[in-house]
Amino acid sequence: MNGNFHTQVLDITTGTGERVHDLTTACTAFLGGAARGRDGLLNIFVPHATAGIAVIETGAGSDDDLLAALTDLLPADDRWQHRHGSRGHGRDHVLPALVAPHATLPVTGGELALGTWQSVCLVDTNRDNPHRQVRLSFLG
C-alpha cells in the first residue's frame, strides 16, 4: 500500500486468567509514528477466535465488571458443545460474538479521538492461550 497506510503487530501476554488488557498507550505510541499529525482511522484487530476488542473505561472497576458480566452470560461450565481445552473453553469461542475482534476509531490531528474515560482494550477470557497478537492499522 502507499505511504498513507501503516500497520504494526503487538505481541501481548495475557496470562492464564481472564483479562482486560489496556492497549491505549500502545495505540497512542503507534499513531505517533504512523499518523504524524494526520486525520484518519485506526483499526485494532485481534486475529484469534477467542478474544475481542472493547472501548471501555478502565481502572474504576469497569474492566472487572465486564469480566463479571461475561462470566454471567458465558459461564465456564460443561454446557458448551465445543469441548477441547480447559473446562468451559467453548464459551471463549462465543466471546467474539459479544465483544467483536475489531474496532475502528477516528484519529484527529494524529491523536486517537477517544472520550474522556474511554480506553481501547483487549478482552481475553481464554485461559488456554496466554499469548495474543493485536494488529494496529492506520489509514489516513
Side-chain angles (χ1 to χ4, degrees):
M1 280 213 130
N2 65 28
N4 294 328
F5 180 81
H6 301 273
T7 191
Q8 176 183 345
V9 175
L10 305 174
D11 291 310
I12 308 291
T13 299
T14 56
T16 58
E18 297 179 356
R19 181 153 182 216
V20 175
H21 180 87
D22 194 332
L23 299 169
T24 310
T25 300
C27 290
T28 299
F30 168 71
L31 289 172
R36 296 185 307 277
R38 295 190 314 257
D39 293 350
L41 296 171
L42 175 66
N43 181 265
I44 305 103
F45 176 70
V46 56
H48 298 282
T50 59
I53 300 295
V55 177
I56 63 168
E57 178 181 8
T58 60
S62 297
D63 37 354
D64 292 331
D65 290 341
L66 174 59
L67 291 175
L70 290 171
T71 297
D72 289 345
L73 290 169
L74 304 170
D77 58 23
D78 293 329
R79 73 182 69 201
W80 308 101
Q81 293 181 34
H82 186 102
R83 293 187 182 262
H84 77 81
S86 62
R87 183 174 188 260
H89 174 66
R91 78 180 194 122
D92 300 325
H93 287 274
V94 177
L95 173 75
L98 301 176
V99 181
H102 60 86
T104 301
L105 304 172
V107 175
T108 306
E111 296 184 13
L112 204 48
L114 292 172
T116 302
W117 303 111
Q118 290 180 314
S119 296
V120 181
C121 298
L122 169 67
V123 180
D124 186 4
T125 60
N126 184 352
R127 296 178 178 114
D128 296 338
N129 186 356
H131 303 289
R132 299 299 184 161
Q133 290 188 328
V134 177
R135 178 173 295 279
L136 306 177
S137 300
F138 174 74
L139 178 62

